[in-house]
Amino acid sequence: MSNMNKLKVLFIIQPDTKRIWAAVAEKLDSGREFRATLGLLCVAAMIKDFKDVECQLIDCSASDFGYPELHEAIKNYNPDLVCMSALTFSILDVRKSAQVAKEACPNTKVCLGGVHINLFPEETLKLKEVDYIVHGEGEIPFKELVCALKDGDTESIKSIQGVGSKVGSETILNDPGEIIREMDSFPIPAYDLLDLSKYSHVLSQGRRSMSIQTSRGCPYACTFCDIRKTAFRFKSPEKVVEEITYLMKTGNTDFFIVDDTISVHKNRLNDICKLIIKKGIKITFKISARVDNLDSESLKLLKEAGCNRINFGVESGSQRLLDYLEKDVTLEQIKETFRLTREAGIPTCAYLIIGIPTETVSEMKKSVKFVADIRAVYFNISICTPYPKTALTDNMIADNLLPHNYWQSFAEDPQENFQVQFWNNTFEDNELRGLQQNLMKSFYKRPTYLFRELCKIRSGSELLRKAKVGLRILR
């Protein structure tokens, strides 16, 4: 260790230069606002107050850092441990950043966690530039790893649940630890490691915006999702409001709640809203929910508490295709929930999927018309993609729609020439991309939609942000 025997830990949010194309519209995907990486902040909070540990965080995108700037920053800080979180879509940049860390400081150790590592722990650990991985619920394993490193007890690392490590050429991968159901036991994420003024959302109306998480997991069975049928665990309403209050003191009054489905426990959601209202907290926030577990009471409370958008996974305007995806909802439920949400005065965003196996162009157009008919305010389209370790991938392999699991070879050796493929038997990938763009344009170019959105604009900065997104869509 360096710096008066303190263990120096550097958290890095990698540059975004080698992102694998996702299935969402490329023009939207390429223009994201800066969002904090909550997974890193959650594990950082477990160790940042240790007296014999020093922490820093570099957000390359928010700081406009490329790899040369990152190299220089790592060299200047000279960390003992570099930590990053990876999605499969960002693993190329994460791997490159790990290589840069090794070049800048050959003795530094690299630890990776995140969704990609949960899917491919063994494959990631075998990468040359990786020394440790944390998989499963990361807070406790990461804390134990850091404690072992700062105490010089590298032998104990071999037995820490949820941690993978290397001894020479040998890899040691322990099973993930138990799921922590009491999320209140975790500290508030380490937001103090960030310059919070750099984070925003296109719909935040010019105010600071920050992502927060109140729950993890999803008990539902959607086949395209890698967290289907996972244990739902959550923070109490009191803990959620404590975190919101903390962030308000730093100037944040707009929040994006990143929970996959916050409405799983409707009573908890209602209690969060009631507590916000009772305490007189003046904020706005956005959530994602299913159409089958919100009612008029919940929507009224959400509106009063400050909810200004609900994202719904509509997926399709065809009941046949909804059933194929195992959504377990009906078109009538979708219509009714959008009606109730509109009556409550909360704008909606509908997410569609096109290119579902056996889907026709006629059905795609029908889905877009369905979204217009239910009067969704915002709209996005993804292309049906068999992602790693999902039931959709397994089903498509079983139906001979997918010849092999090509994600496996990518995980073993991520290379920049990798291309996401849709494996649709009816349409070529470029045809689906074209349909995606044209269907998006058909929704957003409607005169009634454009007029309604122009009437909502309250500031020049809001006009600029919305114009940038609109131009990306309509070009």
Side-chain angles (χ1 to χ4, degrees):
M1 292 192 298
S2 53
N3 192 23
M4 301 294 290
N5 294 324
K6 280 192 174 184
L7 183 78
K8 297 178 72 174
V9 181
L10 178 62
F11 297 94
I12 296 174
I13 301 173
Q14 69 286 345
D16 191 3
T17 66
K18 306 176 188 299
R19 176 178 291 272
I20 299 168
W21 270 14
V24 298
E26 180 198 356
K27 291 178 181 178
L28 286 178
D29 199 40
S30 62
R32 290 191 178 98
E33 291 72 35
F34 301 132
R35 298 280 188 85
T37 301
L38 290 179
L40 278 184
L41 300 183
C42 288
V43 297
M46 302 295 290
I47 63 152
K48 71 182 181 68
D49 293 328
F50 287 170
K51 292 182 179 179
D52 43 4
V53 173
E54 178 184 316
C55 295
Q56 281 194 16
L57 186 146
I58 298 172
D59 186 336
C60 292
S61 292
S63 301
D64 198 23
F65 273 20
Y67 287 109
E69 293 83 3
L70 178 60
H71 183 282
E72 189 67 18
I74 295 171
K75 186 176 180 180
N76 290 339
Y77 187 58
N78 190 26
D80 299 293
L81 183 66
V82 164
C83 306
M84 291 179 282
S85 178
L87 300 170
T88 298
F89 295 117
S90 65
I91 188 62
L92 292 173
D93 277 308
V94 170
R95 187 181 191 186
K96 175 65 175 177
S97 299
Q99 292 166 349
V100 167
K102 293 289 190 180
E103 292 166 3
C105 299
N107 293 326
T108 195
K109 300 295 184 182
V110 171
C111 177
L112 300 187
V115 175
H116 181 79
I117 285 70
N118 288 340
L119 296 174
F120 299 106
E122 183 177 2
E123 295 83 355
T124 305
L125 183 58
K126 288 181 178 179
L127 297 178
K128 179 182 176 182
E129 50 278 345
V130 176
D131 299 290
Y132 305 109
I133 63 101
V134 172
H135 63 133
E137 206 98 87
E139 284 88 346
I140 301 302
F142 182 74
K143 177 182 176 181
E144 293 182 358
L145 170 64
V146 170
C147 285
L149 290 172
K150 71 183 181 66
D151 294 340
D153 184 13
T154 54
E155 184 66 25
S156 69
I157 295 173
K158 299 177 184 178
S159 59
I160 298 175
Q161 292 296 105
V163 170
S165 59
K166 292 176 178 175
V167 178
S169 60
E170 179 188 5
T171 58
I172 302 169
L173 181 61
N174 296 311
D175 292 335
E178 291 185 13
I179 289 176
I180 306 298
R181 295 184 179 275
E182 295 297 327
M183 288 184 66
D184 280 9
S185 63
F186 295 142
I188 289 176
Y191 296 108
D192 55 324
L193 295 179
L194 300 173
D195 178 353
L196 296 176
S197 67
K198 294 181 177 179
Y199 300 90
S200 64
H201 188 278
V202 70
L203 300 176
S204 62
Q205 298 177 329
R207 292 171 293 136
R208 287 190 187 180
S209 183
M210 180 52 57
S211 301
I212 62 172
Q213 183 182 49
T214 82
S215 67
R216 296 175 181 172
C218 181
Y220 296 99
C222 307
T223 59
F224 51 82
C225 183
D226 62 353
I227 64 164
R228 73 192 297 257
K229 298 183 179 180
T230 52
F232 184 74
R233 55 262 192 228
F234 50 86
K235 299 173 185 176
S236 68
E238 292 76 17
K239 186 73 172 182
V240 173
V241 172
E242 177 190 354
E243 191 169 325
I244 289 172
T245 304
Y246 169 84
L247 286 166
M248 288 183 69
K249 292 176 181 177
T250 68
N252 287 276
T253 56
D254 182 74
F255 300 90
F256 185 83
I257 299 178
V258 300
D259 306 28
D260 292 280
T261 310
I262 192 175
S263 56
V264 170
H265 282 184
K266 184 170 58 180
N267 290 339
R268 184 189 75 106
L269 176 59
N270 290 354
D271 288 342
I272 291 171
C273 293
K274 289 176 182 177
L275 194 55
I276 290 172
I277 296 164
K278 179 181 178 181
K279 289 181 174 290
I281 295 172
K282 302 302 180 184
I283 59 171
T284 54
F285 60 93
K286 301 153 190 65
I287 67 169
S288 298
R290 283 175 60 93
V291 298
D292 57 347
N293 49 26
L294 286 179
D295 56 23
S296 56
E297 178 191 6
S298 298
L299 291 164
K300 180 181 178 181
L301 288 169
L302 281 163
K303 175 64 177 178
E304 190 174 353
C307 181
N308 63 352
R309 189 175 74 168
I310 302 179
N311 301 324
F312 290 109
V314 172
E315 320 309 1
S316 178
S318 162
Q319 189 64 53
R320 176 182 74 84
L321 296 174
L322 288 176
D323 294 342
Y324 175 85
L325 296 173
E326 297 183 30
K327 280 291 293 185
D328 196 27
V329 298
T330 66
L331 294 175
E332 287 305 313
Q333 285 176 306
I334 296 171
K335 291 178 184 177
E336 178 64 7
T337 299
F338 270 73
R339 183 186 69 79
L340 292 173
T341 308
R342 185 170 62 253
E343 288 181 355
I346 304 174
T348 53
C349 178
Y351 287 93
L352 278 188
I353 299 175
I354 64 167
I356 302 166
T358 73
E359 184 179 24
T360 65
V361 172
S362 175
E363 286 176 310
M364 295 178 199
K365 292 179 178 178
K366 176 183 174 183
S367 291
V368 175
K369 183 180 184 302
F370 178 74
V371 168
D373 289 345
I374 60 177
R375 296 169 63 181
V377 178
Y378 305 104
F379 169 64
N380 201 357
I381 297 178
S382 296
I383 298 173
C384 186
T385 308
Y387 288 126
K389 307 295 179 75
T390 62
L392 177 64
T393 294
D394 294 339
N395 293 344
M396 290 179 68
I397 291 174
D399 294 339
N400 294 318
L401 298 174
L402 184 62
H404 61 91
N405 188 352
Y406 73 124
W407 291 106
Q408 183 61 40
S409 56
F410 173 72
E412 292 171 0
D413 185 22
Q415 294 295 324
E416 292 184 29
N417 60 357
F418 178 81
Q419 293 288 330
V420 174
Q421 298 179 56
F422 305 130
W423 301 105
N424 190 291
N425 281 7
T426 306
F427 304 98
E428 297 292 334
D429 286 5
N430 63 339
E431 289 181 284
L432 288 171
R433 287 283 185 194
L435 284 164
Q436 180 185 42
Q437 295 300 327
N438 290 333
L439 291 169
M440 289 277 288
K441 289 178 183 179
S442 71
F443 181 88
Y444 282 110
K445 288 177 74 173
R446 291 174 297 141
T448 53
Y449 177 84
L450 293 170
F451 178 75
R452 187 174 65 221
E453 288 304 299
L454 283 171
C455 291
K456 294 179 183 177
I457 293 172
R458 296 291 179 268
S459 68
S461 58
E462 183 183 359
L463 173 62
L464 180 62
R465 282 191 302 276
K466 287 191 173 183
K468 286 167 65 177
V469 173
L471 287 173
R472 287 201 299 266
I473 295 170
L474 300 177
R475 272 196 307 228

